[in-house]
Amino acid sequence: MSESITLHSHKGGPNPWKVVMVLEELGLKYNTIFVDANTGEHKKGPYTALNPNGRMPTLVDHSNNDFTIWESGAIVLYLIGKYDTTHKISFPDFDSTAIANQYLMFQMSGQGPYFGQAAWFMHFHSEKLPSAVERYVAEIHRILGVLDGILADKEYLVGGKASYADLSFIPWNWAFGFFGEHVAGWEEKYPNFTAWNTRLNERAAVKKTKADKAAVN
């Protein structure tokens, strides 16, 4: 059977790998095309015909009349809504789904942007701005503290099982190496978060995604 989904991805950026985890968890066949941001490929045609925002990822579902969708969170919701019919990583009831979506939005509005800005000002910005680094490191710790508190009395965010909400955080968690001494000792400081992160990283789909990412970087 040929791949019915094409994922336009980025080798290093965490957000596309969030989608890969869901594809792997659901056992969907897909083909990956890596878009070269270094050459500006993502900011011009033909890619912008698929995604006018010029970011990755973008997904094209060939089994659904080449249905095209971008923004990683929206892609995740599309995949679980259309293909997770047995609710392996989603939920059959409205309330649990609403709470899972709450955490997905928290990842997208909180963890992703703040972790990303911390990495940018630490490693890529053209000038050193200690105040910016301080601000975003503080946000990293705030996010970790929020999650640690939420996970104080449970193993997963919603419904007692690993879901798309939990998985959405993992690719940015892999970025802790970017933050070095700024997050030193996070395992001990946030034990509930650490245990949760460890459980998720032991999943077969997460291991495969991590290995696939390492293979192209």
Side-chain angles (χ1 to χ4, degrees):
M1 179 178 176
S2 62
E3 291 79 359
S4 61
I5 288 172
T6 297
L7 178 66
H8 298 263
S9 184
H10 184 276
K11 292 181 179 180
N15 288 330
W17 299 99
K18 178 198 314 181
V19 175
V20 172
M21 281 184 197
V22 172
L23 290 166
E24 291 290 343
E25 287 279 2
L26 299 181
L28 297 174
K29 292 184 176 294
Y30 64 98
N31 177 55
T32 300
I33 296 174
F34 291 107
V35 181
D36 191 349
N38 292 326
T39 64
E41 180 184 359
H42 61 312
K43 294 296 185 182
K44 58 188 177 182
Y47 183 68
T48 51
L50 297 174
N51 184 343
N53 193 38
R55 299 291 182 90
M56 285 71 75
T58 299
L59 182 140
V60 181
D61 188 348
H62 307 296
S63 68
N64 186 21
N65 298 311
D66 288 344
F67 181 84
T68 301
I69 185 168
W70 43 275
E71 287 295 316
S72 59
I75 296 171
V76 167
L77 292 176
Y78 172 78
L79 290 172
I80 59 129
K82 189 167 182 64
Y83 293 109
D84 192 13
T85 56
T86 62
H87 300 292
K88 180 183 180 184
I89 56 170
S90 62
F91 303 94
D93 64 292
F94 182 88
D95 288 357
S96 295
T97 299
I99 297 301
N101 289 346
Q102 166 190 274
Y103 287 122
L104 177 62
M105 299 307 133
F106 177 52
Q107 187 280 318
M108 292 162 57
S109 66
Q111 186 212 34
Y114 289 127
F115 282 37
Q117 290 298 310
W120 174 264
F121 283 107
M122 285 179 193
H123 300 287
F124 305 111
H125 196 61
S126 58
E127 59 181 308
K128 298 297 182 183
L129 294 175
S131 62
V133 172
E134 182 180 356
R135 166 176 165 73
Y136 291 113
V137 167
E139 286 299 315
I140 290 174
H141 285 284
R142 185 182 69 81
I143 297 296
L144 295 180
V146 169
L147 289 168
D148 195 66
I150 290 167
L151 293 160
D153 59 353
K154 53 188 176 182
E155 292 189 340
Y156 299 103
L157 293 173
V158 188
K161 71 175 187 181
S163 73
Y164 64 94
D166 301 272
L167 294 167
S168 69
F169 288 88
I170 296 302
W172 276 108
N173 289 350
W174 291 340
F176 281 140
F178 271 91
F179 308 136
E181 63 182 14
H182 296 286
V183 295
W186 63 269
E187 296 96 335
E188 294 77 24
K189 189 173 183 178
Y190 308 107
N192 305 316
F193 170 89
T194 299
W196 168 73
N197 185 59
T198 298
R199 281 191 290 274
L200 291 169
N201 273 285
E202 290 171 350
R203 295 179 68 82
V206 176
K207 287 182 177 180
K208 183 178 184 303
T209 302
K210 190 172 187 179
D212 289 349
K213 184 176 186 292
V216 298
N217 284 282

